[in-house]
């Protein structure tokens, strides 16, 4: 019993000697920040899940097959933004990290744009060629285009459809626009 009493006295002495003002000061300084940070993280998780499901629903509605990776990427971007805001709320300087992310994202976007521009150069040429040919010709006219002769049946988004005795001939918009197009007299 004597040991129990001395232990209680020691504990009581420790409690009396604690600097409660430091603890109260710490909690008053960091308590609201911690609560707001937790709310930011929870809100970010909820918003990330919501945006992912919205992107999935939107992609499926439009019939996009590979929408999963876009939805995951959207979720990761929202989580990254929420994490940066939470860190900044705690007083961490995220300026360098934000700049690094912006540089990497810009480089990635530039690479994708360059790849699409180089890869889509031919299809854009076909589309522009067909667009300009729509202004010059209309279905039913007899044409000689890029060495092919026939009646113009249709001007599609990317080219011309000619028809002759051998069947239908598809001429790309770019090759039709770059070659000499001859309008032949209609057959009687």
């Amino acid at each position: 019993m004597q040991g129990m009493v001395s232990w209680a006295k020691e504990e009581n002495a420790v409690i009396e000697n604690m600097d409660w003002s430091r603890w109260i000061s710490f909690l008053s300084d960091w308590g609201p920040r911690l609560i707001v940070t937790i709310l930011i993280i929870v809100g970010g998780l909820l918003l990330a899940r919501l945006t992912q499901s919205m992107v999935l629903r939107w992609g499926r509605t439009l019939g996009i097959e590979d929408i999963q990776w876009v939805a995951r990427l959207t979720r990761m971007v929202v989580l990254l933004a929420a994490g940066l805001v939470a860190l900044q709320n705690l007083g961490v300087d995220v300026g360098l990290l934000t700049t690094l992310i912006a540089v990497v994202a810009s480089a990635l976007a530039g690479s994708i744009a360059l790849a699409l521009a180089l890869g889509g150069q031919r299809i854009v040429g076909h589309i522009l060629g067909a667009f300009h040919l729509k202004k010059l010709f209309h279905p039913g006219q007899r044409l000689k285009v890029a060495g092919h002769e026939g009646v113009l049946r249709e001007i599609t988004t990317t080219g011309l459809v000619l028809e002759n005795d051998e069947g239908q001939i598809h001429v790309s918009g770019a090759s039709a626009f770059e070659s000499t197009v001859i309008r032949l007299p209609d057959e009687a």
Side-chain angles (χ1 to χ4, degrees), residues 5-76:
V5 171
S6 71
W7 175 81
K9 285 181 182 177
E10 288 175 18
E11 287 296 315
N12 196 19
V14 168
I15 291 173
E16 287 176 2
N17 290 333
M18 282 185 99
D19 189 5
W20 287 101
S21 63
R22 275 190 4 210
W23 278 99
I24 292 172
S25 175
F26 174 79
L27 287 176
S28 67
D29 288 345
W30 285 95
R33 283 187 183 185
L34 290 174
I35 291 171
V36 170
T37 301
I38 290 169
L39 289 175
I40 290 170
I41 291 170
V42 169
L45 289 170
L46 293 173
L47 186 62
R49 181 171 287 187
L50 176 68
T51 54
Q52 182 179 15
S53 66
M54 286 175 58
V55 168
L56 282 172
R57 190 176 322 121
W58 172 73
R60 289 182 183 136
T61 302
L62 294 177
I64 301 172
E65 294 177 20
D66 293 335
I67 196 68
Q68 283 288 72
W69 70 271
V70 176
R72 276 191 231 117
L73 180 65
T74 304
R75 181 178 181 203
M76 296 305 287

Side-chain angles (χ1 to χ4, degrees), residues 69 73 101-115:
W69 70 271
L73 180 65
I101 290 170
V103 167
V104 170
S106 298
L108 184 62
S111 300
I112 291 171
L114 182 63

